[in-house]
Amino acid sequence: MADTQLNQIKLPAIADIGAVDELRDEMLEALNNGDLEVNLEMVERVSTNALFMLLSAAQTAKNHNFKFLLSAPSEHFSNALETLGLDSAFAPLMKG
């Protein structure tokens, strides 16, 4: 089996309900082509909907035997996970 392509996208500074549809479409397109790494370094604000979308994308990747990684989480992203008690759900997805 050939190696799958590693696709990379960046979450925008504001990953809220207004950005979820576009992000979902971008992630689905990337996952149709192989593994996906989502860079979180620019995130200043993230909604609960966006966080659950990331978890859903991770499950989709797993179902298709693709890797799904999150990299370079900003302090704001990490604080949101801690505040919502989601750090353990996201820990297996973090790169490195």
Side-chain angles (χ1 to χ4, degrees):
M1 183 175 171
D3 289 335
T4 58
Q5 176 180 338
L6 176 62
N7 301 283
Q8 297 180 318
I9 62 173
K10 286 189 175 195
L11 230 58
I14 309 299
D16 62 6
I17 191 74
V20 167
D21 287 338
E22 184 177 331
L23 289 170
R24 182 194 65 234
D25 293 344
E26 187 176 1
M27 281 194 271
L28 283 174
E29 183 177 333
L31 284 171
N32 282 330
N33 296 315
D35 300 337
L36 177 59
E37 180 178 327
V38 180
N39 183 293
L40 307 167
E41 68 186 346
M42 296 185 338
V43 175
E44 295 175 9
R45 187 172 70 217
V46 61
S47 71
T48 305
N49 289 354
L51 293 174
F52 286 130
M53 180 191 58
L54 289 171
L55 290 175
S56 178
Q59 185 61 49
T60 298
K62 182 178 179 180
N63 292 346
H64 290 93
N65 296 314
F66 291 137
K67 293 179 186 174
F68 182 88
L69 303 169
L70 301 174
S71 64
S74 69
E75 183 177 346
H76 298 287
F77 185 88
S78 297
N79 288 343
L81 293 184
E82 186 177 338
T83 298
L84 294 168
L86 293 172
D87 9 17
S88 62
F90 278 83
L93 305 175
M94 293 298 178
K95 182 177 179 179

